[in-house]
Amino acid sequence: MTTSAKSNFMPASLVSNLQQVLALKNDGVQQQRSSNASELNKVSSSCCSSSEEAIQGKECVKPVVLVTNGEGIESPGLTFLVQALALDDRLDVCVCAPQLDRSVAGHSVTVRETISVSSSQINGATAFEVSGTPADCVSLALSGALFAWSKPALVVSGINRGSSSGNNTFYSGAVAGAREALICGVSSLCISLNWKKDVSCESDMKDAVGVSLPLIHAAVKSIQEGVFPKSCLLNIEIPSSPLTNKGFKVTRQSLWRSSLSWKAVSTNKRPSAPHFMSNQQSLGIQLAQLSRDASAAGAARRLNSQKQNVEIESVGAARKSNSEKTVKCFRLEFLEEEQENVDEDLDIRALEDGFVAITPISISPPTIGSEIQASVSNWIAGALAKNPLAFH
């Protein structure tokens, strides 16, 4: 397995850690997992590092790995990943994930509405399912409202089904979960499997976990050494056949995105307004019948009620023509699209070529080139000159 990296993307120390972890990999899957577990035993510098410390009774502090995703807490990718991470007792694995599939929620958050949180258990890991978006989950987890710890060492969003390469990152709830962590000052990874419809299967997701573990281990080790990049998250894309991948390749984000297809769908007709009104009138008649002999005051109230019913019915009739609207329903689908003539160092090209694509995504404002800056300045100046009154 090969590893390629460019110095302007990741520190050499992080690449070195990754290479050290990958050097432990051999042809046997079981030996690979044993090597990963052995390497992870070296990761936590905050744990007791000597027998002398243990004798003195110093408490071991495990590095916390917070796991979230875009597809929901019951998705196989998250379950398999948490199970694998929880096997090593030197990690404190916690989960805070959406209750339902929010894989294309983008970086939306829930405001002016209440979200619910339910405790759960995934192979012994402390877990919460949230009726919100991935960004909600990470923000809430880091707020201190759910977990005893103040800050995790690493946030991992995944393993998610489907590519988050290129401009798909803007739609991806999974990427948003990792991005929210970065905004809050926590290092993060987003991991996705390039799932192929009618080709990929659940065992591929398990294999993707095996491919992901060396990266997670290397990240935790680098974070504890203080050399993990703090200005970006790493978007990790695993090819559709994880076990036959060609190696890890640091890439640039492309402009690729899935093709959006809107399709019209049929919908059942809702109950008509006259039918609903007749039910209400029947109920009103029955109630009036029950109170007919109550009192003179009751009779007066019935009269007023009948007048009101007449007024409501007449208003409803007057508005009937205006309330009848044509309703059309559509469903959005993401379609896979092959890319041609794409540079080899772009994420989607590397992924389709069989590499594990590692793309740094920054939240820093992009540097605007001098040509773009000049073109915007010229446009503003021209607009002001042609119509100065419109800008006052």
Side-chain angles (χ1 to χ4, degrees):
M1 177 173 288
T2 61
T3 305
S4 62
K6 296 183 179 179
S7 58
N8 62 322
F9 282 141
M10 291 195 294
S13 54
L14 174 59
V15 176
S16 176
N17 283 340
L18 177 57
Q19 289 172 335
Q20 290 175 16
V21 174
L22 295 177
L24 301 175
K25 187 174 181 181
N26 54 40
D27 295 334
V29 175
Q30 185 62 37
Q31 290 182 338
Q32 176 193 30
R33 293 176 179 174
S34 299
S35 298
N36 291 336
S38 175
E39 178 64 18
L40 189 56
N41 288 337
K42 306 175 185 178
V43 168
S44 179
S45 62
S46 63
C47 287
C48 300
S49 58
S50 68
S51 58
E52 182 179 348
E53 288 181 337
I55 293 174
Q56 292 175 354
K58 290 186 178 180
E59 182 183 359
C60 288
V61 180
K62 300 179 182 180
V64 176
V65 175
L66 175 65
V67 182
T68 189
N69 73 344
E71 296 170 5
I73 196 166
E74 295 183 351
S75 68
L78 182 141
T79 301
F80 296 150
L81 178 61
V82 172
Q83 289 174 348
L85 292 174
L87 289 176
D88 194 285
D89 59 4
R90 289 183 180 267
L91 283 181
D92 185 1
V93 183
C94 299
V95 179
C96 190
Q99 187 178 42
L100 303 174
D101 187 347
R102 304 303 297 272
S103 54
V104 288
H107 207 119
S108 60
V109 293
T110 305
V111 295
R112 292 185 290 273
E113 292 183 14
T114 301
I115 63 174
S116 61
V117 179
S118 302
S119 60
S120 182
Q121 287 290 329
I122 303 179
N123 275 40
T126 303
F128 292 96
E129 58 180 65
V130 180
S131 65
T133 66
D136 286 331
C137 294
V138 174
S139 178
L140 182 59
L142 300 182
S143 71
L146 299 179
F147 299 99
W149 41 259
S150 59
K151 183 179 179 181
L154 178 69
V155 171
V156 179
S157 180
I159 294 174
N160 303 282
R161 189 172 72 170
S163 173
S164 295
S165 299
N167 283 340
N168 276 6
T169 59
F170 296 107
Y171 303 110
S172 172
V175 173
R179 189 189 297 114
E180 183 65 24
L182 184 61
I183 292 173
C184 295
V186 180
S187 300
S188 60
L189 309 175
C190 178
I191 307 176
S192 303
L193 170 65
N194 190 24
W195 186 273
K196 297 294 185 180
K197 185 178 180 181
D198 300 328
V199 176
S200 299
C201 58
E202 195 169 277
S203 62
D204 293 325
M205 193 66 77
K206 293 182 179 180
D207 296 336
V209 171
V211 174
S212 303
L213 290 179
L215 288 163
I216 297 174
H217 299 168
V220 173
K221 183 176 181 180
S222 297
I223 289 167
Q224 301 231 327
E225 295 175 352
V227 296
F228 192 84
K230 298 180 180 180
S231 60
C232 65
L233 67 92
L234 300 185
N235 187 29
I236 300 165
E237 299 281 312
I238 299 174
S240 54
S241 298
L243 293 184
T244 59
N245 74 82
K246 297 179 181 179
F248 295 86
K249 188 172 186 179
V250 177
T251 56
R252 294 184 296 114
Q253 184 176 351
S254 65
L255 297 178
W256 174 85
R257 75 163 187 174
S258 299
S259 178
L260 305 186
S261 174
W262 287 97
K263 293 184 177 180
V265 296
S266 60
T267 180
N268 295 328
K269 294 183 179 180
R270 291 173 290 181
S272 62
H275 176 69
F276 174 77
M277 204 62 162
S278 64
N279 289 340
Q280 297 302 308
Q281 290 170 349
S282 297
L283 178 59
I285 292 173
Q286 294 175 22
L287 292 175
Q289 186 68 33
L290 290 174
S291 62
R292 175 173 298 174
D293 299 324
S295 63
R301 285 195 298 270
R302 286 200 308 278
L303 181 60
N304 292 333
S305 177
Q306 291 171 357
K307 291 180 178 179
Q308 292 173 1
N309 287 339
V310 171
E311 292 175 359
I312 293 173
E313 186 174 359
S314 62
V315 171
R319 294 180 178 177
K320 180 179 178 181
S321 58
N322 294 331
S323 63
E324 290 182 351
K325 298 179 180 179
T326 301
V327 178
K328 295 182 179 181
C329 296
F330 297 86
R331 183 182 296 275
L332 175 62
E333 294 182 359
F334 284 78
L335 303 180
E336 296 182 3
E337 201 171 79
E338 296 293 334
Q339 291 296 306
E340 298 180 358
N341 301 323
V342 178
D343 293 343
E344 292 185 357
D345 63 343
L346 294 180
D347 50 9
I348 187 63
R349 174 65 182 274
L351 181 64
E352 293 294 343
D353 284 348
F355 288 93
V356 177
I358 306 175
T359 308
I361 298 179
S362 176
I363 58 173
S364 301
T367 302
I368 303 298
S370 58
E371 293 183 3
I372 297 178
Q373 196 81 25
S375 66
V376 173
S377 297
N378 292 337
W379 176 80
I380 289 293
L384 288 171
K386 292 180 180 178
N387 196 4
L389 296 179
F391 294 90
H392 291 281

